[in-house]
Amino acid sequence: MTTVQERKKKAKGQALIFGAMSAALYAGAFVYADSMVTLFAKGGLYTALPIATVFLFSYVHGNFTGYVWTALGIEASAKAGRVAEKAGAAKRTDSRNRATMTA
């Protein structure tokens, strides 16, 4: 197996794991929505829980999405990043008029 094929195979397994975790998180959020709202509305330190929940969902779903793209063989090209850097390397002069204030 080549490294690309190995990476795709590993990504498929990881996509299944993170996909199952993502589905479980969403199912839990819908099933326990009332309990979560009650807990999150207590105030004080409980106000950090919605933020932590969003970060958890973002992490799990983001990894799932990344592994799905890798399993499909769609990855960012390192060359594309270098070309963009070279294109923006030349400094342009800013000749726009600026508002000034005199006292």
Side-chain angles (χ1 to χ4, degrees):
M1 252 189 202
T2 65
T3 57
V4 174
Q5 290 173 336
E6 290 172 355
R7 196 171 338 138
K8 283 184 180 182
K9 184 176 180 181
K10 182 179 177 184
K12 287 178 186 177
Q14 292 291 326
L16 288 174
I17 292 169
F18 278 99
M21 289 171 57
S22 185
L25 282 173
Y26 280 105
F30 285 116
V31 170
Y32 297 107
D34 294 332
S35 301
M36 289 172 63
V37 169
T38 304
L39 183 66
F40 292 170
K42 284 186 173 183
L45 290 176
Y46 290 101
T47 56
L49 290 177
I51 298 167
T53 303
V54 169
F55 279 128
L56 177 65
F57 272 76
S58 178
Y59 175 78
V60 171
H61 190 74
N63 278 316
F64 165 66
T65 306
Y67 286 124
V68 167
W69 287 121
T70 302
L72 293 174
I74 302 171
E75 293 188 21
S77 169
K79 181 181 176 185
R82 288 193 307 266
V83 170
E85 288 175 7
K86 287 181 183 178
K91 284 280 192 184
R92 66 180 178 97
T93 58
D94 191 5
S95 60
R96 294 180 288 175
N97 293 329
R98 299 282 182 208
T100 59
M101 187 169 106
T102 56

